[in-house]
Amino acid sequence: MPVTVSQEQLQSQFTYIDAVAALIRGKQLRAYTHTFGCQQNEADTERIRGMLHEMGYTMTDKPEDADFILFNTCAVREHAEDRAFGNIGALSHLKKQRPDVVIALCGCMAQQEKNVEKIKKSYPQVSLLFGTHALWRFPSLLYRALTEKKRVFDIGGEDDIAEGLPVLRAQGPKAWLSIMYGCNNFCTYCIVPYVRGRERSRRPEEIEKELRELVAAGYKEITLLGQNVNSYGKDLGLDIDFADLLRRLNAVPGDFWLRFMTSHPKDASPRLFDAMAECDKVAKQLHLPFQSGSDEILRRMNRRYTAEEYRALIADARAKMPDITLSSDIIVGFPGENEEDFQQTLRLVKDVRFDLLFTFLYSPRTGTPAASYEDNATSQEKQDRFERLLKAQDEIVAERQAAYQGKTLRLLVDGTAKGPEYPFTARTEGNLLVCVRGENIQIGQFIEAKIEKTSLRCLFAQKL
Ligand code: 5AD
Ligand code: SF4
């Protein structure tokens, strides 16, 4: 059973929320947050913003106006780390001008020794640093940062779950709902299991309660989050798996779509697709990363499925949900990948015909097994493979998008668009981006609309 942070421990944090509130009362302080990386990080930032809001901070989107600045960081690729360091570096002058500004760094980078050392040594403007496991202790940490004249670092903590933290969600009809934390898979390229700890599932009644609150608050699209949602429940000892959870959540009354991410092919199953097909509120959309089409590379990535097994899963999902939209993650240039391995990836992409691909160049992560694997391909070769993959995918997407021409679809309006001709953005059930026009359109509304034209990145529709 996963460990839940006790009521007493949480209560003490609520006391610190009050203490910070008392400390800053009447000062009209502002907070700025910047999130790198995945949806899990975005969900974490929303909890921190919830705590800041309870303390009396108002939010600003300009760091130069803020009294508290937070970077929630990602360690999954080097590029994300470089950007975080760049952003913090750029704030050194601000800290010199206004020494009272509290600059904080949290998230996956803060959970790694090498980064902590670098911050300690070379980024004195950071006065508060805490890891993913210490998130629920943020009120006491901020209190210390505000009252003690020294830097505060907390990268300790257990693989536990804190329920009942306040949350300040982004505006709009979409909400994240974390159902589990951590990862047990140890794919050989991936830093996540080292920085987010072991898999732990929230109890189903807590998840259902939060979903009911979201629906009552008017949210229309709720995405269930976890590094590997298909292993939900394995640690609970409750005889519940992810398919059961989907059925339970689908029974919550209301007009909304349920999405989920991310799925791992080794745990996705016909049982999951049966549940998806059966549940009317579960959007017919699947993000199923395959990473590589070569069995040898998959073996060395420790993915524990073959390309053939992956194809069989897709075939089963499509047989049960013919209109399902599919997306995937791919890593190009994993150590030892040769042209033939890459051709197999390309073949899989062309055979499956995904609606959307997230393609990444392999980035070695210190502490992961693959970082010490021999790598013979040059960066030019890798770049060339990457571009060929993008080109192949663009051709597929252009055709798939064009097939929507003239169709009538149900859409969720979720924001405003840049261009004047189609002033709103919306999503299809399959999560495709649509720009819409028409009378009386409101954000948060489900509408029927007809697709008038298509492009590579967007469909264009008229509300009916
Ligand atoms: N290098 C490149 N891409 C990576 N990913 C995870 N680790 C790495 C890495 N070291 C990608 C995987 C994963 C996605 C979230 O990020 O494709 O599915
Ligand atoms: Fe990383 Fe693999 Fe876990 Fe995904 S499943 S977070 S890629 S180790």
Side-chain angles (χ1 to χ4, degrees):
M1 289 288 279
V3 181
T4 306
V5 177
S6 74
Q7 273 309 312
E8 296 80 65
Q9 286 171 310
L10 273 181
Q11 204 45 54
S12 84
Q13 294 303 316
F14 281 100
T15 314
Y16 277 108
I17 289 183
D18 294 341
V20 175
L23 210 57
I24 68 171
R25 189 161 297 138
K27 292 187 180 163
Q28 301 195 322
L29 297 192
R30 281 174 286 202
Y32 166 85
T33 60
H34 185 114
T35 310
F36 295 92
C38 66
Q39 293 77 12
Q40 193 68 62
N41 261 18
E42 286 181 21
D44 283 351
T45 301
E46 290 180 348
R47 303 265 157 208
I48 295 170
R49 287 167 73 89
M51 295 187 251
L52 287 164
H53 178 72
E54 298 274 305
M55 291 165 185
Y57 282 91
T58 47
M59 301 299 147
T60 172
D61 50 15
K62 296 195 190 83
E64 60 278 14
D65 289 348
D67 305 281
F68 174 77
I69 299 174
L70 173 97
F71 293 100
N72 190 358
T73 60
C74 169
V76 98
R77 279 172 293 274
E78 194 177 356
H79 181 62
E81 291 193 349
D82 290 347
R83 278 174 52 219
F85 279 123
N87 273 267
I88 307 162
L91 289 178
S92 67
H93 70 285
L94 188 82
K95 181 76 180 169
K96 286 197 187 103
Q97 281 166 2
R98 293 169 45 215
D100 285 346
V101 174
V102 175
I103 300 176
L105 186 143
C106 70
C108 294
M109 274 173 75
Q111 209 65 56
Q112 287 179 294
E113 200 61 45
K114 69 171 173 90
N115 290 326
V116 177
E117 288 312 311
K118 192 165 162 182
I119 297 281
K120 275 189 180 157
K121 228 172 95 197
S122 311
Y123 294 84
Q125 63 270 43
V126 174
S127 47
L128 170 58
L129 181 143
F130 57 100
T132 54
H133 291 75
L135 186 136
W136 63 271
R137 291 196 289 274
F138 170 64
S140 59
L141 299 173
L142 179 57
Y143 183 80
R144 282 178 52 202
L146 290 169
T147 54
E148 295 173 11
K149 290 285 166 236
K150 56 177 194 253
R151 305 169 82 192
V152 178
F153 288 79
D154 183 349
I155 53 162
E158 308 285 315
D159 285 353
D160 49 17
I161 293 181
E163 294 290 356
L165 295 176
V167 50
L168 184 63
R169 292 193 153 85
Q171 283 196 339
K174 303 178 179 188
W176 309 121
L177 203 180
S178 297
I179 63 164
M180 60 192 297
Y181 307 93
C183 181
N184 288 354
N185 290 317
F186 292 95
C187 303
T188 54
Y189 50 80
C190 186
I191 198 71
V192 169
Y194 305 90
V195 291
R196 285 205 174 262
R198 295 294 68 72
E199 276 174 10
R200 49 218 187 267
S201 307
R202 289 179 73 194
R203 297 184 64 84
E205 62 274 18
E206 295 284 355
I207 298 169
E208 184 183 328
K209 182 164 151 260
E210 192 170 343
L211 176 65
R212 284 180 183 272
E213 287 164 3
L214 290 170
V215 173
Y219 289 96
K220 299 290 180 207
E221 181 192 297
I222 293 111
T223 304
L224 310 177
L225 291 182
Q227 305 301 338
N228 177 15
V229 292
N230 299 116
S231 62
Y232 173 80
K234 282 184 182 164
D235 55 330
L236 284 174
L238 287 178
D239 195 25
I240 182 171
D241 68 4
F242 185 60
D244 299 326
L245 182 72
L246 279 184
R247 289 198 174 89
R248 177 167 173 164
L249 299 180
N250 189 64
V252 170
D255 190 13
F256 60 91
W257 279 333
L258 274 177
R259 303 188 190 278
F260 57 88
M261 68 188 307
T262 291
S263 294
H264 193 304
K266 86 175 162 55
D267 298 310
S269 65
R271 204 179 129 68
L272 168 72
F273 303 143
D274 288 337
M276 285 180 77
E278 188 187 304
C279 294
D280 58 331
K281 289 167 191 158
V282 175
K284 304 302 175 261
Q285 176 230 329
L286 182 67
H287 181 62
L288 194 62
F290 73 85
Q291 314 296 0
S292 169
S294 151
D295 288 346
E296 174 56 15
I297 297 291
L298 286 172
R299 192 184 60 73
R300 285 196 280 127
M301 285 178 164
N302 190 30
R303 293 289 289 178
R304 286 171 279 174
Y305 54 84
T306 62
E308 220 32 62
E309 284 162 349
Y310 186 85
R311 284 171 198 267
L313 279 175
I314 298 292
D316 187 51
R318 282 205 165 125
K320 288 167 183 162
M321 297 166 280
D323 292 331
I324 192 167
T325 55
L326 295 168
S327 56
S328 195
D329 294 345
I330 300 177
I331 296 178
V332 174
F334 185 78
E337 180 192 81
N338 60 30
E339 179 59 26
E340 176 49 27
D341 295 314
F342 174 70
Q343 286 299 331
Q344 285 167 8
T345 297
L346 208 51
R347 216 167 296 143
L348 192 52
V349 164
K350 287 181 179 169
D351 289 349
V352 174
R353 298 174 64 77
F354 294 93
D355 296 273
L356 186 62
L357 278 186
F358 299 90
T359 40
F360 307 104
L361 271 173
Y362 170 71
S363 168
R365 307 282 65 211
T366 311
T368 62
S372 56
Y373 290 179
E374 200 182 332
D375 191 2
N376 296 320
T378 64
S379 48
Q380 184 55 47
E381 279 168 330
K382 292 182 182 186
Q383 190 62 38
D384 177 61
R385 285 175 202 161
F386 191 77
E387 278 160 25
R388 280 186 281 155
L389 184 59
L390 291 190
K391 188 164 169 287
Q393 178 59 14
D394 277 357
E395 284 168 17
I396 294 165
V397 172
E399 286 173 25
R400 287 190 70 82
Q401 293 276 96
Y404 283 95
Q405 179 74 34
K407 285 199 175 160
T408 296
L409 299 173
R410 186 165 197 245
L411 306 177
L412 174 63
V413 183
D414 63 356
T416 48
K418 286 201 191 90
E421 209 191 336
Y422 292 86
F424 290 92
T425 58
R427 292 280 168 170
T428 66
E429 180 179 338
N431 211 17
L432 300 176
L433 175 65
V434 190
C435 291
V436 224
R437 62 178 171 185
E439 300 291 306
N440 295 326
I441 297 179
Q442 277 162 22
I443 295 172
Q445 211 181 25
F446 281 112
I447 59 169
E448 295 288 317
K450 188 167 179 190
I451 307 297
E452 296 183 315
K453 59 177 182 173
T454 70
S455 74
L456 206 54
R457 309 271 168 246
C458 191
L459 305 170
F460 297 86
Q462 168 78 43
K463 182 186 170 208
L464 297 178

